[in-house]
Amino acid sequence: MKPFFSLIIFLIFSNYYSAHKAKFRVEKFGNVKTFFRSQFNFGDKTIESQEMKIHIIGKLSEIIADRLNFKDTLMIEYEKDYFLQKIKILENNNSNYKVLGLRDGGVMKSNENGLAVRIIDDNIEVIDFLKLVEYSIINKKKLNKSLIPVNYFYNDDNQIPVLANSDDFIRKIIRKQSDLVNEIIKTEVELLNNGFLKTKISWKNGEFVFGFNDVPPNNGNYFKLETEKFTIKDFKYYIENTWNDFFIVFHDSDCFTYFDGREENTSSQKLDENISDFYPFRLNKDKISNKIVIIPFRSDVIYIYRINKKLLQKIE
């Protein structure tokens, strides 16, 4: 392999030594608190959809709580994990953290206050989660009666007893239509805005919208930026470059869309690779003569994507 490409691989993979640390995100939206944890932590330019979803859920749950006149604390906890046992808990009179302790085989003491919706799973859906929030608020007085004892395996050999909801109970809730949820998902939630002429992301009505900020500052003369938008219902993760002028959006482990706001450049590509479902691809910092370099984890190959030709080349 040419020294140029070897250097790129070295610089990119030098970041992986810190990538194994878990990623946490804690936010507050009025009386709604959210906790997110994931083993997926590859810096602020590579973001998985699940992290963005929990932010959306927090913002819209605040609206649900207000509409239903719920004034106590609502705790929303979600841990994304491929390996832990899946679990869902709708709980009254305990808005303390719980998911955080389960990983280590502990259950934190109840604070005897508020409500909680807690999930450990490899994926969540915004609309389904909001239905669980609405149900929990409306049925808070009888909520704990639906909890059943579950032996929770926090590793291969050890377990602890936990009160949780059955899969059938959760399915019955999310199968029902909700007029309130259908109304509030029409609210646009901004997820990223890097400023004028730079990348931005929002979510509305069940879709992520990737685009560019074409609203100029109040003072000064600016040209009008004519750009397209890229919408997708769900995705695995996106990668953004250093200058915030294009996205690589991975639909799943081996399929991505290149998007820079120009319709003629937007293209989806399939990678010919034995892809790890956990580790993302890495991207060189910027374009190189209208090309980008995409590198899989722990591999001796790289991919060169020629933007204007929409051509993906594998180099071994």
Side-chain angles (χ1 to χ4, degrees), residues 261-303:
R262 300 174 181 86
E263 184 178 7
E264 65 271 18
N265 288 342
T266 303
S267 174
S268 296
Q269 301 288 331
K270 186 81 170 178
L271 293 157
D272 177 24
E273 187 72 22
N274 183 18
I275 306 298
S276 166
D277 198 41
F278 181 78
Y279 293 104
F281 280 78
R282 302 297 279 177
L283 180 70
N284 63 295
K285 291 185 177 181
D286 207 354
K287 301 173 188 175
I288 304 173
S289 300
N290 208 35
K291 304 180 186 70
I292 57 173
V293 180
I294 304 173
I295 305 176
F297 182 74
R298 290 178 179 170
S299 177
D300 292 330
V301 307
I302 64 171
Y303 289 89

Side-chain angles (χ1 to χ4, degrees), residues 213-259:
N213 185 341
D214 57 2
V215 179
N218 292 329
N219 299 319
N221 296 318
Y222 299 91
F223 66 89
K224 176 66 176 177
L225 179 67
E226 298 291 342
T227 61
E228 301 294 325
K229 294 179 180 179
F230 171 66
T231 61
I232 188 169
K233 288 188 177 297
D234 204 356
F235 63 97
K236 191 172 181 64
Y237 62 92
Y238 76 82
I239 309 174
E240 190 180 19
N241 74 322
T242 304
W243 300 105
N244 306 318
D245 59 6
F246 70 85
F247 291 108
I248 301 292
V249 183
F250 274 83
H251 303 220
D252 50 37
S253 297
D254 58 0
C255 178
F256 73 86
T257 294
Y258 172 87
F259 174 71

Side-chain angles (χ1 to χ4, degrees), residues 150-253:
V150 172
N151 290 323
Y152 184 76
F153 285 85
Y154 57 93
N155 58 39
D156 291 338
D157 303 315
N158 297 289
Q159 61 181 327
I160 54 172
V162 177
L163 291 175
N165 297 107
S166 68
D167 291 340
D168 185 59
F169 176 79
I170 297 297
R171 278 194 294 267
K172 287 179 180 178
I173 297 173
I174 63 179
R175 281 174 182 166
K176 294 180 180 179
Q177 289 296 315
S178 166
D179 292 337
L180 177 57
V181 171
N182 288 340
E183 178 187 348
I184 67 166
I185 62 172
K186 297 175 184 177
T187 304
E188 184 173 12
V189 179
E190 185 175 85
L191 300 166
L192 175 74
N193 191 337
N194 284 314
F196 182 49
L197 303 182
K198 299 295 184 180
T199 47
K200 69 175 185 177
I201 306 173
S202 62
W203 184 94
K204 183 178 180 180
N205 218 13
E207 289 187 325
F208 290 93
V209 182
F210 291 79
F212 285 79
N213 185 341
D214 57 2
V215 179
N218 292 329
N219 299 319
N221 296 318
Y222 299 91
F223 66 89
K224 176 66 176 177
L225 179 67
E226 298 291 342
T227 61
E228 301 294 325
K229 294 179 180 179
F230 171 66
T231 61
I232 188 169
K233 288 188 177 297
D234 204 356
F235 63 97
K236 191 172 181 64
Y237 62 92
Y238 76 82
I239 309 174
E240 190 180 19
N241 74 322
T242 304
W243 300 105
N244 306 318
D245 59 6
F246 70 85
F247 291 108
I248 301 292
V249 183
F250 274 83
H251 303 220
D252 50 37
S253 297

Side-chain angles (χ1 to χ4, degrees), residues 89-112:
I89 303 172
L90 311 184
E91 185 176 12
N92 188 25
N93 291 326
N94 185 10
S95 56
N96 201 0
Y97 294 99
K98 179 173 283 188
V99 165
L100 182 63
L102 288 179
R103 166 177 283 276
D104 299 316
V107 178
M108 296 184 181
K109 186 178 180 180
S110 171
N111 62 5
E112 304 296 333

Side-chain angles (χ1 to χ4, degrees), residues 5-93:
F5 295 127
S6 298
L7 176 60
I8 290 177
I9 290 176
F10 171 77
L11 292 174
I12 289 177
F13 283 122
S14 64
N15 294 326
Y16 270 94
Y17 293 106
S18 61
H20 292 281
K21 296 179 181 178
K23 186 171 190 177
F24 296 88
R25 183 169 178 172
V26 178
E27 295 182 286
K28 193 172 188 298
F29 308 92
N31 61 326
V32 178
K33 297 193 297 183
T34 62
F35 170 82
F36 168 80
R37 173 174 172 154
S38 174
Q39 299 305 303
F40 188 107
N41 187 359
F42 296 90
D44 60 357
K45 293 293 185 181
T46 304
I47 306 295
E48 62 182 329
S49 65
Q50 307 304 314
E51 179 181 347
M52 306 181 87
K53 287 178 185 178
I54 206 67
H55 178 84
I56 298 164
I57 290 165
K59 292 276 288 186
L60 298 184
S61 291
E62 181 185 10
I63 299 175
I64 292 177
D66 181 65
R67 292 287 190 89
L68 298 177
N69 199 32
F70 181 75
K71 305 298 184 183
D72 291 337
T73 299
L74 171 61
M75 167 63 78
I76 292 173
E77 284 188 290
Y78 171 57
E79 175 158 5
K80 176 180 178 170
D81 199 287
Y82 291 101
F83 310 110
L84 288 178
Q85 181 179 337
K86 297 177 181 180
I87 195 168
K88 297 176 177 66
I89 303 172
L90 311 184
E91 185 176 12
N92 188 25
N93 291 326

